[in-house]
Amino acid sequence: MAMRRVRGLSLTELLSTLAILAILSRSSVAVSQWIDSARADSAARQIIHSIQFARLSAVSSGRNTLLCGSEDGLNCSRHWHADSSHVIVFHDANQNRRRDASEPLLLNARWQEGEVQWRAARRSYLRFRRNGSAKDIGTFPWCPADLDPSEARQFTINFAGRVYTSRDKNGDGIHEPNRGGGAISCSG
């Protein structure tokens, strides 16, 4: 009876394979974190662009302009949930803080999926005067859909109508609010 030769992996081959797998698993975590960070940066750019567009529209037209959340993409609502609604911009000719049929949409956009809320003295809209100054100041905190606080951002609009973005001031990987201490909260 002839003996069959059994082939397997040597200890060196096995250790090399395990080392490669360990490197690949670490790199996939880094790629995943990079993708999450890119998603947060994209959401930040969308929000800043919409706010700056509304301000620029007010200045360039010399008309009061309003930015608000919208459930249907046509009319203002109190909801700013980015994953289920639109953001609209229009010239509010009669200053009634709602879009009338005679006021065309200047922008109808959907922001990145996540949670966003306009916080400004119980107002659900942001108004810019014809000179670009903000009639309503406040903040837009944004949290990703998975509520990961390391990807959260906050945008503050001052009276001049300028937007300030939160930063990670203490190097812990989580942005702090523009005013006050602590971290931006993303509790569900």
Side-chain angles (χ1 to χ4, degrees), residues 98-180:
R98 43 179 195 261
R99 185 176 163 266
D100 299 319
S102 62
E103 298 167 334
L105 283 176
L106 304 175
L107 177 71
N108 179 355
R110 284 184 176 264
W111 286 348
Q112 186 85 19
E113 183 176 326
E115 281 292 316
V116 66
Q117 184 180 12
W118 171 236
R119 295 180 182 163
R122 296 186 194 151
R123 292 188 171 91
S124 59
Y125 48 82
L126 171 58
R127 293 179 289 179
F128 289 99
R129 295 180 181 100
R130 62 189 84 216
N131 66 1
S133 64
K135 195 163 186 171
D136 310 293
I137 62 168
T139 60
F140 279 105
W142 177 84
C143 291
D146 63 4
L147 302 179
D148 179 1
S150 68
E151 305 304 330
R153 303 290 187 267
Q154 183 185 53
F155 311 93
T156 302
I157 293 84
N158 68 10
F159 278 119
R162 292 190 176 88
V163 182
Y164 295 92
T165 306
S166 61
R167 295 177 296 145
D168 177 14
K169 298 172 190 164
N170 60 9
D172 66 354
I174 298 176
H175 282 225
E176 284 74 38
N178 293 323
R179 293 189 183 140

Side-chain angles (χ1 to χ4, degrees), residues 80-99:
W80 285 88
H81 301 291
D83 55 346
S84 64
S85 66
H86 303 255
V87 175
I88 61 174
V89 174
F90 61 94
H91 294 305
D92 190 15
N94 58 8
Q95 298 185 39
N96 65 353
R97 296 173 300 282
R98 43 179 195 261
R99 185 176 163 266

